[in-house]
Amino acid sequence: MWTRCPTPLAYGSPPFASIDSVTVTRLSVQDASAHMLAGVHPLDSEAVPLEQAAGRVLARDVVSPVFLPPHDNASMDGFAAHADDVRESTSERPSRLHIIGTIAAGSAPTRALARGEAARIMTGAYLPPGADSVIRVEDTTVEAERVSVRDARDAGRNIRRRGEDVRADQVVMRAGTAIAAPHIGVLASVGCAEPQVHRRPRVAILATGDELVTLDRFDEVQSGTRIVSSNSYALAAAVRAAGGEPVPLGIAPDDPMALAARLREAEGCDLVLTSGGVSVGDFDYTRRVIAELGGTLSLWRVRMRPGAPLGFGTVFGVPWLGLPGNPVSALVTFELFGRPLIRTLAGHARPHRRTIGVTLADPVHLGAPLTHFLRAVLDSNASDVPVARLTGAQSSGMLTSMSAAEVLLIVPPDLLDVPAGAAVRALPLDGDLGGSDRFLS
Ligand code: AMP
Ligand code: MG
């Protein structure tokens, strides 16, 4: 667990625990991620109405108080019967049974079934005592009060046994399960109206930069003096999509005092995201202010592109992730590091996305031995292995290249010239991408 830091230094007091206190710099992407996740644990839990539990992670085992199904019942519409009465049935020599009534789903049988008797029964209806078979309608002919069974194939079949799905006192779902629609169904079936789930992480989001405005000041963008803090909006959406609750802290100017004042508003959150001001520019104050607020900077810079100037540490006793300001870098590094942090806090045992194998459509030349994350789309005619095409210019200033991308191609540092047709891994940016976009193939 992150431990709360000692009392923050008074603002401005030396020494600035800036770059000196960094324990690791220039890590690989894998090592940086492992470093960040090592100290992060799932948050405490809360009970939520079942209707709101999808997407959350179960914090306690759920034990069923009931058997499912609660009684032996019919798995199809037909006739309840004794297997011994129909075992010899053929179309030439059908078994003839006396129909004693009809049992609908939701009604209890009124009496046991004697030998030589049958009861009409509907799917899900409780089997009358004595019956051990449900004969499908297609194998029967009804005349008045009698049913003729022309086939023996259903003798002893088409019954769902009491408790065959779930037994009372059985653990039906383990803590750590990510709750999706089928889990909601199971929890509902065993009466779990308010599952105990990990809390959704509250994620503070602070943009930094004198050049930035929110959308209500778009006239300043039109007059050419400012740009929109697109990160404020994009990161809030990304946090929500990752399962966190965004806590927008707006924009701090490039001024240490003002930045510190804004950052203090992050106290009480479970994760602090900042964007910008984390590089080596004259006005990049984020790292310094984190240190002055009593935080730590344990990692700085990662051997990747885009996104190299990245900071990580703690502030107010919780993890702080200092994303680069560049919008593409901010989103790529959020995807690689922010999303897994949020998912770990939310209780997910598997915080990372699965990568897929793709084939490069075009050759790629890279200028530096870094792990590159290239924006690409998948060829919709792809057969087994999808073919990936770059979305165009890969400058990290091209935010539209990110919005067009379906995947991030992962090019490892030792590959500077990658030929067309090369096999590489890719990180899907949404959960619906498989190897082919053809239905069920
Ligand atoms: P920085 O990391 O602060 O040096 O910023 C790098 C680049 O990203 C600069 O061109 C900034 O104008 C831009 N930038 C920084 N923060 C944001 C933001 N919140 N939204 C959009 N662009 C930003
Ligand atoms: Mg800046």
CSV table of all heavy atoms in Angstrom, one decimal, residues 268-321:
chain,number,residue,atom,x,y,z
A,268,GLY,N,-7.6,13.4,-1.2
A,268,GLY,CA,-8.8,12.6,-1.0
A,268,GLY,C,-9.1,11.8,-2.2
A,268,GLY,O,-9.9,10.9,-2.1
A,269,CYS,N,-8.4,12.1,-3.3
A,269,CYS,CA,-8.7,11.2,-4.5
A,269,CYS,C,-7.8,9.9,-4.3
A,269,CYS,O,-6.9,9.9,-3.5
A,269,CYS,CB,-8.3,11.9,-5.8
A,269,CYS,SG,-9.6,13.1,-6.2
A,270,ASP,N,-8.0,9.0,-5.2
A,270,ASP,CA,-7.3,7.7,-5.1
A,270,ASP,C,-6.1,7.6,-6.1
A,270,ASP,O,-5.3,6.8,-6.0
A,270,ASP,CB,-8.2,6.5,-5.4
A,270,ASP,CG,-9.4,6.5,-4.5
A,270,ASP,OD1,-9.2,6.4,-3.2
A,270,ASP,OD2,-10.6,6.6,-4.9
A,271,LEU,N,-6.1,8.6,-7.0
A,271,LEU,CA,-5.0,8.6,-8.0
A,271,LEU,C,-5.0,10.0,-8.6
A,271,LEU,O,-6.1,10.6,-8.7
A,271,LEU,CB,-5.4,7.6,-9.2
A,271,LEU,CG,-4.5,7.7,-10.4
A,271,LEU,CD1,-3.0,7.2,-10.1
A,271,LEU,CD2,-5.0,6.7,-11.5
A,272,VAL,N,-3.8,10.6,-8.8
A,272,VAL,CA,-3.7,11.9,-9.3
A,272,VAL,C,-3.1,11.8,-10.7
A,272,VAL,O,-2.0,11.3,-10.8
A,272,VAL,CB,-2.9,12.8,-8.4
A,272,VAL,CG1,-2.8,14.2,-9.0
A,272,VAL,CG2,-3.5,12.9,-7.0
A,273,LEU,N,-3.8,12.4,-11.7
A,273,LEU,CA,-3.2,12.5,-13.0
A,273,LEU,C,-3.0,13.9,-13.3
A,273,LEU,O,-3.9,14.8,-13.2
A,273,LEU,CB,-4.3,12.0,-14.1
A,273,LEU,CG,-4.6,10.5,-14.2
A,273,LEU,CD1,-5.6,10.4,-15.4
A,273,LEU,CD2,-3.4,9.7,-14.4
A,274,THR,N,-1.8,14.2,-13.8
A,274,THR,CA,-1.5,15.6,-14.3
A,274,THR,C,-1.1,15.4,-15.7
A,274,THR,O,-0.6,14.4,-16.1
A,274,THR,CB,-0.4,16.3,-13.5
A,274,THR,OG1,0.8,15.5,-13.6
A,274,THR,CG2,-0.7,16.5,-12.1
A,275,SER,N,-1.3,16.5,-16.5
A,275,SER,CA,-0.8,16.4,-17.9
A,275,SER,C,0.0,17.7,-18.1
A,275,SER,O,-0.4,18.8,-17.7
A,275,SER,CB,-2.0,16.3,-18.9
A,275,SER,OG,-2.3,17.5,-19.4
A,276,GLY,N,1.2,17.4,-18.7
A,276,GLY,CA,2.0,18.6,-19.1
A,276,GLY,C,3.0,19.0,-18.0
A,276,GLY,O,2.9,18.5,-16.8
A,277,GLY,N,4.0,19.8,-18.3
A,277,GLY,CA,4.9,20.4,-17.4
A,277,GLY,C,5.8,19.4,-16.7
A,277,GLY,O,6.4,19.6,-15.6
A,278,VAL,N,6.0,18.2,-17.3
A,278,VAL,CA,6.8,17.2,-16.6
A,278,VAL,C,8.1,16.9,-17.3
A,278,VAL,O,8.8,16.0,-17.0
A,278,VAL,CB,5.9,15.9,-16.5
A,278,VAL,CG1,5.8,15.1,-17.8
A,278,VAL,CG2,6.3,15.0,-15.3
A,279,SER,N,8.4,17.8,-18.3
A,279,SER,CA,9.6,17.5,-19.1
A,279,SER,C,10.7,18.5,-18.6
A,279,SER,O,10.7,18.8,-17.4
A,279,SER,CB,9.3,17.8,-20.6
A,279,SER,OG,10.3,17.3,-21.4
A,280,VAL,N,11.5,18.9,-19.5
A,280,VAL,CA,12.7,19.7,-19.1
A,280,VAL,C,12.6,21.2,-19.5
A,280,VAL,O,13.6,21.9,-19.4
A,280,VAL,CB,14.0,19.1,-19.6
A,280,VAL,CG1,14.3,17.8,-18.9
A,280,VAL,CG2,14.0,19.0,-21.1
A,281,GLY,N,11.4,21.6,-19.9
A,281,GLY,CA,11.2,23.0,-20.3
A,281,GLY,C,11.4,24.0,-19.1
A,281,GLY,O,11.3,23.6,-18.0
A,282,ASP,N,11.6,25.2,-19.5
A,282,ASP,CA,11.8,26.2,-18.4
A,282,ASP,C,10.6,26.3,-17.5
A,282,ASP,O,10.7,26.8,-16.3
A,282,ASP,CB,12.1,27.6,-19.0
A,282,ASP,CG,13.5,27.6,-19.7
A,282,ASP,OD1,14.3,26.7,-19.4
A,282,ASP,OD2,13.8,28.6,-20.3
A,283,PHE,N,9.4,26.0,-18.0
A,283,PHE,CA,8.2,26.2,-17.2
A,283,PHE,C,7.6,24.9,-16.8
A,283,PHE,O,6.4,24.9,-16.6
A,283,PHE,CB,7.2,27.2,-18.0
A,283,PHE,CG,7.9,28.4,-18.4
A,283,PHE,CD1,8.3,28.7,-19.7
A,283,PHE,CD2,8.1,29.4,-17.4
A,283,PHE,CE1,8.9,29.8,-20.0
A,283,PHE,CE2,8.7,30.6,-17.8
A,283,PHE,CZ,9.2,30.8,-19.1
A,284,ASP,N,8.4,23.9,-16.8
A,284,ASP,CA,7.8,22.5,-16.5
A,284,ASP,C,8.0,22.3,-14.9
A,284,ASP,O,9.0,21.9,-14.4
A,284,ASP,CB,8.6,21.4,-17.2
A,284,ASP,CG,8.2,21.4,-18.7
A,284,ASP,OD1,7.1,22.0,-19.0
A,284,ASP,OD2,8.9,20.8,-19.5
A,285,TYR,N,6.9,22.7,-14.2
A,285,TYR,CA,7.0,22.8,-12.8
A,285,TYR,C,6.4,21.5,-12.1
A,285,TYR,O,6.5,21.5,-10.8
A,285,TYR,CB,6.3,24.0,-12.2
A,285,TYR,CG,7.0,25.3,-12.7
A,285,TYR,CD1,6.3,26.2,-13.4
A,285,TYR,CD2,8.3,25.6,-12.3
A,285,TYR,CE1,6.9,27.4,-13.8
A,285,TYR,CE2,8.9,26.8,-12.7
A,285,TYR,CZ,8.2,27.7,-13.4
A,285,TYR,OH,8.8,28.9,-13.8
A,286,THR,N,5.8,20.7,-12.8
A,286,THR,CA,5.0,19.6,-12.1
A,286,THR,C,5.8,18.8,-11.1
A,286,THR,O,5.4,18.6,-10.0
A,286,THR,CB,4.3,18.7,-13.2
A,286,THR,OG1,3.6,19.6,-14.1
A,286,THR,CG2,3.3,17.8,-12.5
A,287,ARG,N,6.9,18.3,-11.6
A,287,ARG,CA,7.7,17.4,-10.7
A,287,ARG,C,8.1,18.2,-9.4
A,287,ARG,O,8.0,17.6,-8.3
A,287,ARG,CB,9.0,16.9,-11.4
A,287,ARG,CG,8.7,15.9,-12.5
A,287,ARG,CD,9.9,15.5,-13.3
A,287,ARG,NE,10.5,16.6,-14.0
A,287,ARG,CZ,11.7,16.9,-14.1
A,287,ARG,NH1,12.6,16.2,-13.4
A,287,ARG,NH2,12.2,18.0,-14.8
A,288,ARG,N,8.6,19.4,-9.6
A,288,ARG,CA,9.0,20.2,-8.5
A,288,ARG,C,7.9,20.4,-7.5
A,288,ARG,O,8.1,20.3,-6.2
A,288,ARG,CB,9.6,21.5,-9.0
A,288,ARG,CG,9.8,22.5,-8.0
A,288,ARG,CD,10.4,23.7,-8.7
A,288,ARG,NE,10.1,25.0,-8.0
A,288,ARG,CZ,10.4,26.2,-8.4
A,288,ARG,NH1,11.0,26.3,-9.5
A,288,ARG,NH2,10.0,27.2,-7.7
A,289,VAL,N,6.7,20.7,-8.0
A,289,VAL,CA,5.6,21.0,-7.1
A,289,VAL,C,5.1,19.8,-6.4
A,289,VAL,O,4.8,19.8,-5.2
A,289,VAL,CB,4.4,21.7,-7.9
A,289,VAL,CG1,3.2,21.7,-7.1
A,289,VAL,CG2,4.9,23.1,-8.3
A,290,ILE,N,5.2,18.6,-7.1
A,290,ILE,CA,4.8,17.4,-6.4
A,290,ILE,C,5.7,17.2,-5.2
A,290,ILE,O,5.3,16.8,-4.1
A,290,ILE,CB,5.0,16.2,-7.4
A,290,ILE,CG1,3.9,16.2,-8.5
A,290,ILE,CG2,5.0,14.8,-6.7
A,290,ILE,CD1,2.5,15.8,-8.0
A,291,ALA,N,7.0,17.4,-5.4
A,291,ALA,CA,8.0,17.2,-4.3
A,291,ALA,C,7.7,18.2,-3.2
A,291,ALA,O,7.7,17.9,-2.0
A,291,ALA,CB,9.4,17.4,-4.9
A,292,GLU,N,7.4,19.4,-3.6
A,292,GLU,CA,7.1,20.4,-2.5
A,292,GLU,C,5.9,20.2,-1.7
A,292,GLU,O,5.8,20.6,-0.6
A,292,GLU,CB,7.1,21.8,-3.2
A,292,GLU,CG,8.4,22.3,-3.6
A,292,GLU,CD,8.4,23.5,-4.5
A,292,GLU,OE1,7.3,24.1,-4.6
A,292,GLU,OE2,9.4,23.9,-5.1
A,293,LEU,N,5.0,19.5,-2.3
A,293,LEU,CA,3.7,19.1,-1.6
A,293,LEU,C,4.0,17.9,-0.7
A,293,LEU,O,3.0,17.3,-0.2
A,293,LEU,CB,2.6,18.8,-2.6
A,293,LEU,CG,2.0,20.1,-3.3
A,293,LEU,CD1,1.0,19.7,-4.4
A,293,LEU,CD2,1.3,21.0,-2.3
A,294,GLY,N,5.2,17.4,-0.6
A,294,GLY,CA,5.5,16.3,0.2
A,294,GLY,C,5.4,15.0,-0.6
A,294,GLY,O,5.5,13.9,0.0
A,295,GLY,N,5.2,15.1,-1.8
A,295,GLY,CA,5.1,13.8,-2.7
A,295,GLY,C,6.5,13.3,-3.0
A,295,GLY,O,7.5,13.8,-2.6
A,296,THR,N,6.5,12.2,-3.7
A,296,THR,CA,7.7,11.6,-4.2
A,296,THR,C,7.7,11.5,-5.7
A,296,THR,O,6.6,11.3,-6.3
A,296,THR,CB,7.9,10.2,-3.6
A,296,THR,OG1,6.8,9.4,-4.0
A,296,THR,CG2,8.0,10.3,-2.1
A,297,LEU,N,8.9,11.5,-6.3
A,297,LEU,CA,9.0,11.2,-7.7
A,297,LEU,C,9.9,10.0,-7.8
A,297,LEU,O,11.1,10.0,-7.5
A,297,LEU,CB,9.6,12.4,-8.4
A,297,LEU,CG,9.9,12.3,-9.8
A,297,LEU,CD1,8.6,12.2,-10.6
A,297,LEU,CD2,10.8,13.4,-10.3
A,298,SER,N,9.3,8.8,-8.0
A,298,SER,CA,10.1,7.6,-8.0
A,298,SER,C,10.5,7.1,-9.4
A,298,SER,O,11.4,6.3,-9.5
A,298,SER,CB,9.3,6.5,-7.3
A,298,SER,OG,8.2,6.1,-8.1
A,299,LEU,N,9.9,7.7,-10.4
A,299,LEU,CA,10.2,7.3,-11.8
A,299,LEU,C,10.1,8.4,-12.7
A,299,LEU,O,9.1,9.2,-12.6
A,299,LEU,CB,9.3,6.1,-12.1
A,299,LEU,CG,9.3,5.5,-13.5
A,299,LEU,CD1,8.6,4.1,-13.4
A,299,LEU,CD2,8.6,6.3,-14.6
A,300,TRP,N,11.0,8.6,-13.6
A,300,TRP,CA,10.9,9.7,-14.5
A,300,TRP,C,11.5,9.2,-15.9
A,300,TRP,O,12.6,8.6,-15.9
A,300,TRP,CB,11.7,10.9,-14.1
A,300,TRP,CG,11.4,12.1,-14.9
A,300,TRP,CD1,10.2,12.6,-15.4
A,300,TRP,CD2,12.4,13.1,-15.4
A,300,TRP,NE1,10.4,13.7,-16.1
A,300,TRP,CE2,11.7,14.1,-16.1
A,300,TRP,CE3,13.8,13.2,-15.2
A,300,TRP,CZ2,12.4,15.1,-16.7
A,300,TRP,CZ3,14.4,14.3,-15.8
A,300,TRP,CH2,13.7,15.2,-16.5
A,301,ARG,N,10.8,9.5,-16.9
A,301,ARG,CA,11.2,9.1,-18.3
A,301,ARG,C,11.1,7.6,-18.5
A,301,ARG,O,11.6,6.8,-17.8
A,301,ARG,CB,12.6,9.6,-18.6
A,301,ARG,CG,12.6,11.1,-18.6
A,301,ARG,CD,14.1,11.5,-18.9
A,301,ARG,NE,14.1,13.0,-19.2
A,301,ARG,CZ,15.3,13.6,-19.4
A,301,ARG,NH1,16.4,13.0,-19.4
A,301,ARG,NH2,15.3,14.9,-19.7
A,302,VAL,N,10.5,7.3,-19.6
A,302,VAL,CA,10.4,5.9,-20.0
A,302,VAL,C,10.9,5.8,-21.5
A,302,VAL,O,10.7,6.7,-22.3
A,302,VAL,CB,8.9,5.5,-20.0
A,302,VAL,CG1,8.7,4.0,-20.4
A,302,VAL,CG2,8.4,5.6,-18.5
A,303,ARG,N,11.5,4.6,-21.8
A,303,ARG,CA,12.1,4.5,-23.1
A,303,ARG,C,11.1,4.2,-24.2
A,303,ARG,O,11.0,3.0,-24.6
A,303,ARG,CB,13.2,3.4,-23.1
A,303,ARG,CG,14.4,3.9,-22.2
A,303,ARG,CD,15.7,3.1,-22.6
A,303,ARG,NE,15.6,1.7,-22.6
A,303,ARG,CZ,15.8,0.9,-21.6
A,303,ARG,NH1,16.3,1.5,-20.4
A,303,ARG,NH2,15.7,-0.4,-21.6
A,304,MET,N,10.3,5.1,-24.5
A,304,MET,CA,9.2,4.9,-25.4
A,304,MET,C,8.9,6.2,-26.2
A,304,MET,O,9.3,7.3,-25.9
A,304,MET,CB,7.9,4.5,-24.7
A,304,MET,CG,7.4,5.6,-23.7
A,304,MET,SD,5.9,5.1,-22.7
A,304,MET,CE,4.7,5.1,-24.0
A,305,ARG,N,8.2,6.0,-27.3
A,305,ARG,CA,7.8,7.1,-28.1
A,305,ARG,C,6.4,6.8,-28.7
A,305,ARG,O,6.3,5.7,-29.3
A,305,ARG,CB,8.8,7.4,-29.2
A,305,ARG,CG,8.4,8.7,-30.1
A,305,ARG,CD,9.5,9.1,-31.0
A,305,ARG,NE,10.7,9.6,-30.3
A,305,ARG,CZ,11.8,9.8,-30.9
A,305,ARG,NH1,12.0,9.4,-32.1
A,305,ARG,NH2,12.8,10.3,-30.2
A,306,PRO,N,5.4,7.6,-28.6
A,306,PRO,CA,5.4,8.9,-27.9
A,306,PRO,C,5.4,8.6,-26.4
A,306,PRO,O,5.1,7.5,-26.0
A,306,PRO,CB,4.2,9.6,-28.4
A,306,PRO,CG,3.2,8.5,-28.7
A,306,PRO,CD,4.1,7.4,-29.2
A,307,GLY,N,5.6,9.7,-25.6
A,307,GLY,CA,5.4,9.6,-24.2
A,307,GLY,C,6.6,9.5,-23.3
A,307,GLY,O,6.4,9.3,-22.1
A,308,ALA,N,7.8,9.8,-23.8
A,308,ALA,CA,9.0,9.6,-23.0
A,308,ALA,C,9.0,10.4,-21.7
A,308,ALA,O,9.3,9.9,-20.6
A,308,ALA,CB,10.2,9.9,-23.8
A,309,PRO,N,8.6,11.7,-21.7
A,309,PRO,CA,8.8,12.5,-20.5
A,309,PRO,C,7.6,12.2,-19.5
A,309,PRO,O,6.7,13.0,-19.5
A,309,PRO,CB,8.8,13.9,-21.0
A,309,PRO,CG,8.0,13.9,-22.2
A,309,PRO,CD,8.1,12.5,-22.8
A,310,LEU,N,7.7,11.1,-18.8
A,310,LEU,CA,6.6,10.7,-18.0
A,310,LEU,C,7.1,10.7,-16.5
A,310,LEU,O,8.2,10.2,-16.3
A,310,LEU,CB,6.2,9.3,-18.4
A,310,LEU,CG,5.1,8.7,-17.7
A,310,LEU,CD1,3.8,8.9,-18.4
A,310,LEU,CD2,5.3,7.2,-17.5
A,311,GLY,N,6.3,11.1,-15.6
A,311,GLY,CA,6.7,11.0,-14.2
A,311,GLY,C,5.7,10.2,-13.4
A,311,GLY,O,4.6,10.1,-13.7
A,312,PHE,N,6.3,9.5,-12.3
A,312,PHE,CA,5.4,8.7,-11.5
A,312,PHE,C,5.9,8.8,-10.1
A,312,PHE,O,7.1,8.9,-9.8
A,312,PHE,CB,5.4,7.3,-11.9
A,312,PHE,CG,4.5,6.4,-11.0
A,312,PHE,CD1,3.1,6.4,-11.2
A,312,PHE,CD2,5.1,5.7,-10.0
A,312,PHE,CE1,2.4,5.7,-10.3
A,312,PHE,CE2,4.3,4.9,-9.2
A,312,PHE,CZ,2.9,4.9,-9.3
A,313,GLY,N,5.0,8.9,-9.1
A,313,GLY,CA,5.4,8.9,-7.7
A,313,GLY,C,4.2,8.9,-6.9
A,313,GLY,O,3.2,8.2,-7.2
A,314,THR,N,4.2,9.6,-5.8
A,314,THR,CA,3.1,9.7,-4.9
A,314,THR,C,2.8,11.2,-4.5
A,314,THR,O,3.8,12.0,-4.5
A,314,THR,CB,3.3,9.0,-3.6
A,314,THR,OG1,4.4,9.5,-2.9
A,314,THR,CG2,3.5,7.5,-3.8
A,315,VAL,N,1.6,11.5,-4.2
A,315,VAL,CA,1.3,12.8,-3.6
A,315,VAL,C,0.0,12.6,-2.8
A,315,VAL,O,-0.8,11.8,-3.1
A,315,VAL,CB,1.1,13.9,-4.7
A,315,VAL,CG1,-0.2,13.7,-5.5
A,315,VAL,CG2,1.1,15.3,-4.1
A,316,PHE,N,0.0,13.2,-1.6
A,316,PHE,CA,-1.1,13.0,-0.7
A,316,PHE,C,-1.3,11.5,-0.3
A,316,PHE,O,-2.4,11.1,-0.1
A,316,PHE,CB,-2.4,13.6,-1.2
A,316,PHE,CG,-2.2,15.0,-1.6
A,316,PHE,CD1,-2.6,15.4,-2.9
A,316,PHE,CD2,-1.7,16.0,-0.8
A,316,PHE,CE1,-2.5,16.7,-3.3
A,316,PHE,CE2,-1.5,17.3,-1.2
A,316,PHE,CZ,-1.9,17.7,-2.4
A,317,GLY,N,-0.2,10.7,-0.4
A,317,GLY,CA,-0.3,9.3,0.0
A,317,GLY,C,-0.9,8.4,-1.1
A,317,GLY,O,-1.1,7.2,-0.8
A,318,VAL,N,-1.2,9.0,-2.3
A,318,VAL,CA,-1.7,8.1,-3.3
A,318,VAL,C,-0.8,8.2,-4.6
A,318,VAL,O,0.0,9.1,-4.7
A,318,VAL,CB,-3.2,8.5,-3.7
A,318,VAL,CG1,-4.1,8.3,-2.5
A,318,VAL,CG2,-3.3,9.9,-4.3
A,319,PRO,N,-1.0,7.3,-5.5
A,319,PRO,CA,-0.1,7.4,-6.7
A,319,PRO,C,-0.4,8.6,-7.5
A,319,PRO,O,-1.5,9.0,-7.7
A,319,PRO,CB,-0.5,6.1,-7.5
A,319,PRO,CG,-1.3,5.3,-6.6
A,319,PRO,CD,-1.8,6.1,-5.5
A,320,TRP,N,0.7,9.2,-8.1
A,320,TRP,CA,0.6,10.3,-9.0
A,320,TRP,C,1.2,9.9,-10.3
A,320,TRP,O,2.3,9.3,-10.3
A,320,TRP,CB,1.3,11.5,-8.4
A,320,TRP,CG,1.7,12.5,-9.5
A,320,TRP,CD1,0.9,13.2,-10.3
A,320,TRP,CD2,3.1,12.7,-10.0
A,320,TRP,NE1,1.6,14.0,-11.2
A,320,TRP,CE2,3.0,13.7,-11.0
A,320,TRP,CE3,4.3,12.3,-9.6
A,320,TRP,CZ2,4.1,14.2,-11.7
A,320,TRP,CZ3,5.4,12.8,-10.3
A,320,TRP,CH2,5.3,13.7,-11.3
A,321,LEU,N,0.5,10.1,-11.4
A,321,LEU,CA,1.0,9.8,-12.7
A,321,LEU,C,1.1,11.1,-13.5
A,321,LEU,O,0.1,11.7,-13.8
A,321,LEU,CB,0.1,8.8,-13.4
A,321,LEU,CG,0.5,8.4,-14.9
A,321,LEU,CD1,1.9,7.7,-14.9
A,321,LEU,CD2,-0.6,7.4,-15.4
